Amino acid sequence: MTNTVWQPLESSRWLQGDQSIPCDQSIPCYICKSANSRDAEYCHDCSAPMALARQAAGQHLPPGMIAVVGASGVGKTVYLGLLMDMLSRQTERMQFSARGAFSVNLQQTTISALAQCQFPSKTCNEPDRWNWVYCQVRRNASSPTIELIMPDMAGESILEEMDHRNTYRVIKEVLKKSSAALVLIDAGQLCDGDQGQDYFAMKILSYLSEVEPSSKHGWSERPIALVFTKVDQAEVCRDDPAGFAKTHAALLWQLCQQRFSNYRFFAASVVGACAWHESATQGRRRVPLRVEPRGIIEPFEWLMEQTIGPKKWRPFALSK
Ligand SMILES: Nc1nc2c(ncn2[C@@H]2O[C@H](COP(=O)(O)OP(=O)(O)OP(=O)(O)O)[C@@H](O)[C@H]2O)c(=O)[nH]1
Ligand SMILES: [Mg+2]
Ligand SMILES: [Zn+2]
């Protein structure tokens, strides 16, 4: 008897390294550098959108990257969506603009949900469903413009990659290439005595310290903003996030001191208060009562200053 075996026919992989394909018919993925056909929507290898490569092509300098990481439900999507919205509406602290229609999705989804007194949905685990932001930032009209890429990755996928290396190539590549990181930690859960957030943050930082251990400009020196989220539920964290870390996330605090030289703790929240809402279709879920952003821009601003220099905004020093 012969067993039937299903073998996926990944014909796009034939493109990789095939010297016979004329250069004008393939384009390298911006994230993993695999060759893809010019009309591909997502990279066949890491599933990053090829729009990033098309957007980056022709730029004088390659865009820098900021990794946004944290457990599922910590608030990455809401934080990033609101950050984009706030940055694009103000001009005093820095000038910001999204590049490419795909870059507006995250902001649009978040703001539409909040306007309807809802939170946006949980991010899907599949990388080709993630929202990526490609943006331009500059300090003022006379300073140079910096191009930046920030993906909104799913917390469950991040955990999977931490626990089983190379499950999500795209995550590994993003963490390798990023010049800075925003690590989000749920202050509400820590206040309730749930140490899961402390362990997760430790896992992330351990992963970062191992991702390029031999690199001269490894994560031990790159700036890391550790952002306690949902501080509307954790008043004790609001005014002294570093003190809060010391008392409520002692493992994380120690690891930072031992292995990293450029990090800072922040406190942020998107809403002023939440309530529970029960519906027949969606069950019991948290809904925002009022949007009251707090500490949203500060971590990003600090990262920009650390990466680019407080006096002069120079282009990102990209790691390989
Ligand atoms: N109280 C409070 N709750 C928040 C805040 N931000 C987010 N939340 C809650 O946290 C939930 C998860 O937020 P998300 O932004 O979807 O979390 P995430 O980190 O993107 O999660 P994944 O997509 O699964 O990785 C929301 O549905 C809200 O219930 C906040 O500032 N305050
Ligand atoms: Mg999300
Ligand atoms: Zn790729």
Side-chain angles (χ1 to χ4, degrees):
M1 199 177 79
T2 313
N3 286 333
T4 307
V5 175
W6 287 101
Q7 181 68 41
L9 181 64
E10 297 178 359
S11 51
S12 60
R13 282 182 183 273
W14 300 343
L15 283 170
Q16 194 167 8
D18 186 345
Q19 302 304 318
S20 65
I21 299 171
C23 289
D24 62 349
Q25 282 176 34
S26 77
I27 181 169
C29 165
Y30 188 73
I31 306 300
C32 74
K33 301 295 170 220
S34 294
N36 283 262
S37 66
R38 284 218 156 256
D39 52 1
E41 199 178 349
Y42 297 98
C43 170
H44 66 79
D45 207 342
C46 74
S47 304
M50 290 306 295
L52 297 173
R54 285 189 274 272
Q55 199 74 49
Q59 289 302 319
H60 178 52
L61 284 162
M65 266 203 255
I66 293 186
V68 184
V69 282
S72 177
V74 78
K76 297 180 294 299
T77 302
V78 187
Y79 172 83
L80 262 183
L82 196 70
L83 174 70
M84 298 301 124
D85 195 63
M86 290 176 75
L87 288 176
S88 55
R89 284 173 201 280
Q90 59 83 52
T91 49
E92 312 85 55
R93 294 164 87 156
M94 63 182 91
Q95 295 183 356
F96 171 94
S97 62
R99 303 258 286 141
F102 68 95
S103 296
V104 184
N105 289 344
L106 178 62
Q107 177 180 347
Q108 187 186 7
T109 324
T110 306
I111 300 306
S112 320
L114 290 175
Q116 292 168 37
C117 279
Q118 288 177 9
F119 284 111
S121 316
K122 176 176 156 23
T123 309
C124 297
N125 290 357
E126 298 78 27
D128 57 5
R129 308 274 301 275
W130 297 347
N131 282 316
W132 292 68
V133 176
Y134 187 121
C135 56
Q136 282 186 335
V137 192
R138 63 178 174 175
R139 174 163 273 178
N140 53 44
S142 57
S143 57
T145 303
I146 292 133
E147 310 253 332
L148 265 185
I149 292 175
M150 284 188 282
D152 177 26
M153 306 187 286
E156 283 177 7
S157 310
I158 297 172
L159 180 61
E160 191 67 19
E161 172 59 24
M162 308 277 136
D163 286 344
H164 309 284
R165 301 285 161 104
N166 299 316
T167 319
Y168 286 91
R169 183 172 179 201
V170 65
I171 296 177
K172 183 178 165 190
E173 295 296 333
V174 166
L175 295 181
K176 251 165 109 174
K177 275 175 167 251
S178 295
S179 314
L182 280 158
V183 178
L184 271 58
I185 307 141
D186 190 325
Q189 283 192 20
L190 284 172
C191 264
D192 293 344
D194 180 349
Q195 290 307 304
Q197 291 292 315
D198 198 7
Y199 289 122
F200 194 98
M202 265 184 66
K203 269 190 190 180
I204 290 175
L205 292 190
S206 303
Y207 186 99
L208 290 182
S209 62
E210 288 156 21
V211 77
E212 269 192 317
S214 55
S215 164
K216 215 170 127 197
H217 303 290
W219 278 102
S220 59
E221 283 160 33
R222 293 184 214 174
I224 302 175
L226 299 141
V227 185
F228 288 114
T229 57
K230 311 184 190 179
V231 296
D232 52 290
Q233 296 176 335
E235 276 189 33
V236 54
C237 177
R238 276 188 212 168
D239 301 325
D240 182 14
F244 181 80
K246 211 170 175 178
T247 50
H248 289 77
L251 300 174
L252 168 67
W253 170 263
Q254 271 176 27
L255 189 71
C256 285
Q257 291 203 316
Q258 286 161 4
R259 295 211 206 154
F260 300 91
S261 59
N262 195 8
Y263 63 91
R264 186 181 283 189
F265 289 95
F266 293 89
S269 58
V270 166
V271 296
C274 289
W276 287 101
H277 182 261
E278 201 134 2
S279 77
T281 47
Q282 292 173 305
R284 194 164 185 261
R285 70 204 158 91
R286 251 178 203 280
V287 291
L289 288 181
R290 57 178 192 279
V291 178
E292 208 174 280
R294 191 190 169 98
I296 301 289
I297 296 184
E298 285 78 358
F300 180 76
E301 202 170 39
W302 179 78
L303 283 184
M304 297 301 286
E305 282 186 357
Q306 295 302 305
T307 320
I308 304 165
K311 295 202 181 102
K312 195 173 157 203
W313 278 32
R314 286 178 285 103
F316 261 46
L318 259 187
S319 63
K320 273 189 286 155

